[in-house]
Amino acid sequence: MNVARRPEELPAAERAIALGSFDGVHMGHRRVLEAAQAAGLTTTVVTFWPHPRTVLGNRVELLTTLDRRLELLAERGMDEVLVVEFTSELAQLEPREFAESLLRRIGARVVAVGANFRFGRGAAGTPALFDELGFDLRPVPIVEGVSSTQIRQLLRAGDVEGAAKLLGRPAEVEGVVVLGDQRGGTLGYPTANLDAPADVIVPAYGIYAGAALGHRAAVSIGVNPHYGGSERRIEPYLLDFDGDLYGKRLIVELWRRLRDERAFDSEEDLVTQMARDVEATRAAERPV
């Protein structure tokens, strides 16, 4: 999949455009991507970074990093992605100017968007404008109950199975493996310590069953209360894995929330519970 950062980096072609932020590439987004693909032209995703709402002064807990978004779009079979830098200047463009200066410029013939998509100054542009301007508009109805906002709410509640249904894939955490307390190794369960991006949502604290690198993983998210911790940690233990992960980017699927995190009466009790968590992880099923 070709990734461009400027319109001039794309070769001349007639294109079917899938337009939107596509944070999470969830089931609703997939309908837009499929509508663009169905046109039979070069399928080009036009997406924005940073998230438009952050540029407009709102805090947004993203569902994925940009790198992960691009990987997920590639998995959906997109031909190209144009990552448009979203700036305050871009936000001030009138809707017609936005469409002509960006979409017309890259050879858009078909435009697929969600029915609730808004663009241009004051979010005044609606999908109907693309039709007025002569584009072949493919509006995609909203998928009932599926939105990035709803997925965030489920993740904040620790409901990774519910989130997976809306995402069409397991919820994930990702980060670079960095040096941690190294306490897990002394207990017989060496964990990786993830340095997660600050702007990406992390599910509710607790212990989860999941997977990473083709191995099942028991994942602790929280402050490690048994040892009086206060800093959030994301620590997957990869079952039956032997290798060095330091400095590597790790994507960890979360399949099921097993329990709350808590302090134990003794370290022996903690280790006993960790063994139960590992067995529960072996028995867990991937949600989608």
Side-chain angles (χ1 to χ4, degrees):
M1 184 182 74
N2 179 35
V3 178
R5 302 284 178 156
R6 297 187 300 275
E8 57 268 25
E9 294 175 5
L10 295 174
E14 281 196 330
R15 292 184 160 82
I17 304 297
L19 180 62
S21 290
F22 298 105
D23 180 31
V25 194
H26 57 56
M27 294 299 292
H29 295 148
R30 290 188 186 185
R31 299 283 181 88
V32 177
L33 301 176
E34 290 163 1
Q37 280 180 311
L41 302 172
T42 297
T43 307
T44 305
V45 177
V46 176
T47 190
F48 306 98
W49 189 263
H51 194 289
R53 284 171 56 194
T54 66
V55 175
L56 298 174
N58 302 300
R59 182 173 181 269
V60 178
E61 290 182 294
L62 298 174
L63 296 177
T64 58
T65 61
L66 178 59
D67 285 344
R68 187 63 181 140
R69 186 192 308 177
L70 295 175
E71 290 168 352
L72 292 167
L73 290 171
E75 289 175 11
R76 303 311 303 172
M78 300 298 103
D79 298 318
E80 305 170 325
V81 176
L82 174 61
V83 180
V84 177
E85 181 183 5
F86 196 88
T87 63
S88 56
E89 290 77 18
L90 184 66
Q92 290 303 309
L93 288 181
E94 295 297 334
R96 285 177 178 268
E97 186 179 2
F98 171 89
E100 296 290 352
S101 65
L102 180 59
L103 302 186
R104 191 83 71 190
R105 182 180 177 188
I106 62 174
R109 193 176 94 192
V110 172
V111 178
V113 291
N116 64 345
F117 183 77
R118 299 293 181 269
F119 62 99
R121 185 173 183 174
T126 67
L129 179 60
F130 296 123
D131 188 47
E132 293 175 21
L133 294 175
F135 296 101
D136 180 355
L137 174 65
R138 308 285 176 94
V140 178
I142 301 303
V143 179
E144 185 73 27
V146 178
S147 69
S148 297
T149 298
Q150 180 62 24
I151 294 167
R152 291 186 191 100
Q153 291 174 352
L154 291 168
L155 293 176
R156 291 188 194 108
D159 185 359
V160 293
E161 292 172 286
K165 293 176 183 177
L166 306 191
L167 287 164
R169 58 181 176 83
E172 299 169 341
V173 289
E174 74 165 273
V176 175
V177 179
V178 297
L179 189 65
D181 295 329
Q182 299 182 298
R183 189 179 289 118
T186 66
L187 301 176
Y189 299 97
T191 59
N193 184 38
L194 297 189
D195 182 13
D199 55 353
V200 176
I201 192 169
V202 173
Y205 289 178
I207 311 302
Y208 295 81
L213 297 179
H215 293 260
R216 288 173 181 258
V219 187
S220 171
I221 299 176
V223 297
N224 205 341
H226 183 78
Y227 293 102
S230 59
E231 179 183 349
R232 187 193 71 191
R233 298 290 182 91
I234 303 172
E235 298 178 300
Y237 165 61
L238 275 62
L239 280 60
D240 308 314
F241 176 83
D242 183 19
D244 183 5
L245 295 173
Y246 287 116
K248 296 181 180 178
R249 173 174 171 254
L250 196 63
I251 298 170
V252 183
E253 294 183 349
L254 302 176
W255 294 359
R256 181 161 67 91
R257 190 173 190 271
L258 300 178
R259 62 177 176 87
D260 292 335
E261 61 165 2
R262 67 181 181 88
F264 292 84
D265 293 334
S266 67
E267 199 165 78
E268 180 181 0
D269 289 346
L270 169 62
V271 172
T272 298
Q273 182 59 59
M274 291 171 74
R276 294 193 188 105
D277 296 337
V278 167
E279 290 310 305
T281 297
R282 291 193 188 278
E285 295 185 359
R286 196 172 189 264
V288 290

